[in-house]
Amino acid sequence: MKALVYEGPRTVSVQDVPDARIERPTDVLVKITSTNICGSDLHMYEGRTDMEAGRVLGHENMGEVVAVGDGVDRVRVGDLVCLPFNISCGFCRNCDKGLTAFCLTTPVDPKMAGAAYGFAGMGPYSGGQAEFLRVPYGDSNCLVLPEEAWEKQTDYVMLSDIFPTGWHCTELAGVQPGETVAIYGAGPVGLMAALSATLKSAAKVMVVDRHPDRLRLAEEIGAIPIDDSKASPVDQINEQTNGLGADRGCECVGYQAHDPQGHEHPNLTLNNLVESVKFTGSIGVVGVFIPKDPGSPDPLYREDGEIAFDYGLFWLKGQSVGNGQANVKAYNRELCNLVQQGKAKPSWIVSHELPLDQAPQGYEHFDNRDDGWTKVVLHPGGAA
């Protein structure tokens, strides 16, 4: 089958790889119809992780079931399904509690919790930027979609990761109706956090970024764009909140945060959020942070895996923080209902739909933050 293979920093190519196949009775085989390029794919694409050459990328996947193992009861051949990026068993101690991002069964490393498709450090599982994908524990991991999803794939494929992840960030932050929310990062996840806060009836949603195309998308759903290249984002948020700071904050950037001058600071958005959020407010962090970054320009993070966090001010303000990967299965069914009922249209961020053979160009444009390249959806079958 054809698949997008990671070869090294900023080098990916579409190659022939061994066909995905049923390996265990609980497996499902999916013909991929839509798969997204995710911002967290770029960490691997840029060589900032320990991703092995030869791996197939892609963890935001949906497609048609073409085969099922003998142990699969619920999912049927012909179903259109969306797949959480977390690969979970559904029955371990963590999965029983809904913590499917921290499954204890699917990781190979006994010191790890959680697994994912085509992701560095998250197990050996192949990604879905390919013609076919093997789905372990298919009954648990396949969200069967309504019939209309065939014609609305750019909406429903967002249930694999970024819509639930944006929602998760607002859950971690504790967003309630009538509150003010400051979101750092207007990439796909930050925009989904803005959508989620809006769906939760936040009174005011402010989104910090400096890319005009992304800020325009935030504005389209009623969020207030905060351009940090024009003035301090903390000052702008304080101005919007009568000097009090936002009730809740969302970190949707991660460890490769850059200042407006282009310098990288792994602690930038975290410390800006401490300043931007009110006394006793709370912060949700879903931007990716890794235990150690050998490629970081910050010596503390590069050598010791530590970040200079403004804990004193955080403590003084009585703030709280929640963080970690989204437990997609905790949210995807309900978010699917919002899409089906027309309450949410996450595809508003999609800028490009490409066939699989144009994936390398899609990665290049998305990684460069080229104007207008806000979200890329790949269609391995060639049909947009």
Side-chain angles (χ1 to χ4, degrees):
M1 68 177 185
K2 301 288 185 184
L4 187 79
V5 175
Y6 174 75
E7 296 183 272
R10 290 187 167 85
T11 305
V12 293
S13 64
V14 177
Q15 301 179 15
D16 288 317
V17 302
D19 289 339
R21 58 184 178 85
I22 299 290
E23 297 180 16
R24 301 181 62 187
T26 50
D27 288 350
V28 164
L29 185 64
V30 172
K31 180 181 180 181
I32 297 296
T33 57
S34 294
T35 176
N36 303 335
I37 300 176
C38 179
S40 56
D41 287 329
L42 299 182
H43 301 304
M44 295 176 282
Y45 176 72
E46 294 171 2
R48 293 291 290 270
T49 67
D50 58 357
M51 189 66 169
E52 308 95 332
R55 293 282 304 277
V56 177
L57 295 171
H59 59 271
E60 297 189 7
N61 307 308
M62 71 176 285
E64 180 183 3
V65 175
V66 293
V68 299
D70 292 340
V72 174
D73 291 326
R74 182 179 62 86
V75 179
R76 299 285 183 263
V77 171
D79 285 343
L80 185 64
V81 296
C82 188
L83 310 168
F85 78 89
N86 329 108
I87 306 174
S88 58
C89 67
F91 54 77
C92 72
R93 183 176 182 178
N94 284 348
C95 287
D96 270 348
K97 295 179 179 179
L99 304 174
T100 53
F102 304 93
C103 178
L104 300 172
T105 303
T106 52
V108 175
D109 183 349
K111 296 181 180 180
M112 273 293 293
Y117 302 101
F119 208 94
M122 299 294 288
Y125 304 94
S126 287
Q129 290 171 5
E131 292 180 308
F132 296 91
L133 179 68
R134 171 190 168 237
V135 180
Y137 301 104
D139 272 336
S140 180
N141 286 309
C142 290
L143 175 67
V144 179
L145 300 172
E147 187 65 26
E148 71 162 24
W150 286 100
E151 303 301 324
K152 297 181 178 180
Q153 294 198 30
T154 53
D155 283 313
Y156 284 93
V157 71
M158 303 304 167
L159 297 170
S160 59
D161 180 358
I162 61 166
F163 193 8
T165 293
W167 190 275
H168 182 59
C169 196
T170 64
E171 288 285 296
L172 291 172
V175 173
Q176 298 294 318
E179 293 186 325
T180 56
V181 184
I183 297 170
Y184 276 76
V189 169
L191 291 169
M192 290 299 158
L195 175 62
S196 300
T198 300
L199 289 166
K200 292 183 175 187
S201 298
K204 183 179 283 189
V205 179
M206 299 155 283
V207 180
V208 179
D209 208 293
R210 65 191 67 108
H211 295 279
D213 54 346
R214 295 179 170 190
L215 291 172
R216 283 194 299 270
L217 289 172
E219 200 168 14
E220 284 181 15
I221 59 167
I224 297 168
I226 303 289
D227 188 339
D228 70 348
S229 69
K230 295 181 177 178
S232 161
V234 176
D235 291 345
Q236 293 184 71
I237 290 167
N238 279 331
E239 184 177 349
Q240 290 284 343
T241 57
N242 299 315
L244 296 174
D247 295 305
R248 313 291 178 182
C250 293
E251 202 291 329
C252 301
V253 179
Y255 71 102
Q256 287 184 257
H258 287 71
D259 62 27
Q261 292 73 42
H263 304 120
E264 186 177 316
H265 307 277
N267 60 349
L268 179 65
T269 49
L270 291 173
N271 289 339
N272 276 344
L273 276 163
V274 171
E275 291 193 72
S276 300
V277 171
K278 71 174 185 179
F279 280 76
T280 72
S282 53
I283 299 166
V285 182
V286 295
V288 173
F289 287 85
I290 56 178
K292 193 172 183 178
D293 178 18
S296 177
D298 183 296
L300 188 64
Y301 200 23
R302 181 178 64 247
E303 296 168 13
D304 300 317
E306 298 176 356
I307 291 174
F309 179 58
D310 195 352
Y311 190 79
L313 183 59
F314 175 75
W315 182 91
L316 181 68
K317 296 179 79 170
Q319 294 173 341
S320 57
V321 63
N323 65 101
Q325 290 188 343
N327 306 295
V328 171
K329 276 178 60 65
Y331 312 117
N332 64 353
R333 193 174 300 275
E334 288 72 23
L335 297 182
C336 179
N337 291 339
L338 290 177
V339 174
Q340 187 177 9
Q341 296 304 318
K343 302 291 187 181
K345 190 173 178 59
S347 64
W348 108 96
I349 69 168
V350 174
S351 58
H352 293 79
E353 297 181 67
L354 305 175
L356 184 63
D357 61 8
Q358 292 182 26
Q361 297 96 303
Y363 266 87
E364 183 178 0
H365 286 294
F366 192 45
D367 184 53
N368 290 337
R369 312 300 194 270
D370 288 340
D371 187 62
W373 287 78
T374 52
K375 186 64 174 178
V376 181
V377 180
L378 305 173
H379 298 288

